[in-house]
């Protein structure tokens, strides 16, 4: 399936990459980016691989690292990446 990045996904991804780069270095940021690419590839091949949200069955949560997750939706024709979430934050109801 085709994967589409929402504006929120792009912004939250960029913020997380910049944070990792500033705190842990370029190598760690590149490693994170590779993990994200791998998870997105898996989602594009098997959209239902990750569990749906407890609050909203349309949203699914893919764990990238123990600190970061990707929230996405599956539509008829594509997969919408909604946003990246820092798991250390208070949970959102979505």
């Amino acid at each position: 399936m085709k994967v589409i990045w929402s504006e929120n996904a792009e912004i939250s991804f960029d913020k997380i990459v910049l944070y990792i780069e500033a705190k842990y270095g370029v190598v760690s940021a590149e490693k994170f980016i590779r993990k994200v690419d791998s998870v997105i590839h898996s989602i594009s091949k098997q959209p239902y691989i990750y569990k749906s949200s407890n609050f909203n069955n349309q949203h699914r949560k893919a764990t990238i690292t123990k600190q970061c997750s990707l929230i996405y939706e599956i539509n008829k024709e594509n997969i919408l990446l909604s946003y990246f979430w820092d798991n250390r934050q208070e949970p959102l109801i979505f």
Side-chain angles (χ1 to χ4, degrees), residues 10 21 37 41 43-44 48 57 61 68 77:
E10 290 177 7
E21 190 174 311
D37 287 342
H41 179 75
I43 291 170
S44 72
Y48 296 95
N57 286 338
K61 179 181 175 182
C68 182
E77 298 175 6

Side-chain angles (χ1 to χ4, degrees), residues 70-87:
L70 167 61
I71 309 302
Y72 68 99
E73 298 177 46
I74 305 167
N75 299 317
K76 290 180 182 178
E77 298 175 6
N78 55 50
I79 297 164
L80 176 65
L81 305 183
S82 299
Y83 54 91
F84 289 82
W85 182 254
D86 184 338
N87 294 327

Side-chain angles (χ1 to χ4, degrees), residues 24-59:
Y24 303 106
V26 174
V27 173
S28 294
E30 289 171 348
K31 184 177 178 182
F32 174 76
I33 292 168
R34 285 192 302 273
K35 284 184 181 181
V36 169
D37 287 342
S38 176
V39 167
I40 291 172
H41 179 75
S42 295
I43 291 170
S44 72
K45 299 297 180 197
Q46 297 178 336
Y48 296 95
I49 191 169
Y50 295 101
K51 68 178 185 171
S52 60
S53 164
N54 294 333
F55 304 107
N56 183 336
N57 286 338
Q58 290 182 324
H59 289 96

